[in-house]
Amino acid sequence: MKDQNSIDVTETSTQKYERALDLFTESVMKPDHDLRGCAHNQGCYEQLMEIRKHVLDYLKTLKEVTHHTNADESDDLETAKLIKEKPYYPNDQKPYYAKW
């Protein structure tokens, strides 16, 4: 990831949010070799990758449901459907997409 261009100051808050979400998603996807090495040493690499997958799924959900352009009732139905279908953490019944 290289920041090569400045951004137009007249962009909307929705555009800024979507760009920030894309950047954060990139940061989760980017391999961190030191962190993964620590996870291997501590015997929790598989758990780390599972958490990474949950976070990426959550970020995808944010992108899908947060900002609808020209939203209508079908968008509300799709949002409710996505939230209902999201899996739960195995040891606690709070959905992983709950507010942080």
Side-chain angles (χ1 to χ4, degrees):
M1 166 178 24
K2 283 194 170 193
D3 187 12
Q4 298 179 6
N5 298 325
S6 60
I7 302 300
D8 183 9
V9 292
T10 62
E11 70 182 358
T12 66
S13 62
T14 299
Q15 290 169 316
K16 290 178 183 181
Y17 182 90
E18 289 173 357
R19 191 174 61 258
L21 188 56
D22 289 340
L23 287 169
F24 189 79
T25 301
E26 278 185 53
S27 75
V28 173
M29 291 174 66
K30 186 177 179 180
D32 182 333
H33 302 291
D34 292 335
L35 180 66
R36 291 178 186 199
C38 288
H40 275 295
N41 291 341
Q42 296 177 26
C44 61
Y45 178 79
E46 295 299 320
Q47 292 80 1
L48 178 67
M49 292 297 104
E50 180 182 345
I51 292 167
R52 177 181 177 270
K53 182 186 179 321
H54 286 304
V55 169
L56 289 171
D57 289 345
Y58 174 71
L59 292 171
K60 182 180 177 198
T61 301
L62 276 180
K63 190 166 193 139
E64 292 169 348
V65 302
T66 303
H67 295 285
H68 295 294
T69 305
N70 300 321
D72 60 19
E73 63 278 354
S74 67
D75 294 315
D76 292 335
L77 293 172
E78 281 301 309
T79 298
K81 180 179 157 188
L82 282 168
I83 290 171
K84 184 178 178 185
E85 292 176 357
K86 296 300 174 188
Y88 291 85
Y89 282 122
N91 295 329
D92 122 21
Q93 292 303 306
K94 293 179 185 172
Y96 72 84
Y97 53 82
K99 297 226 184 238
W100 303 32

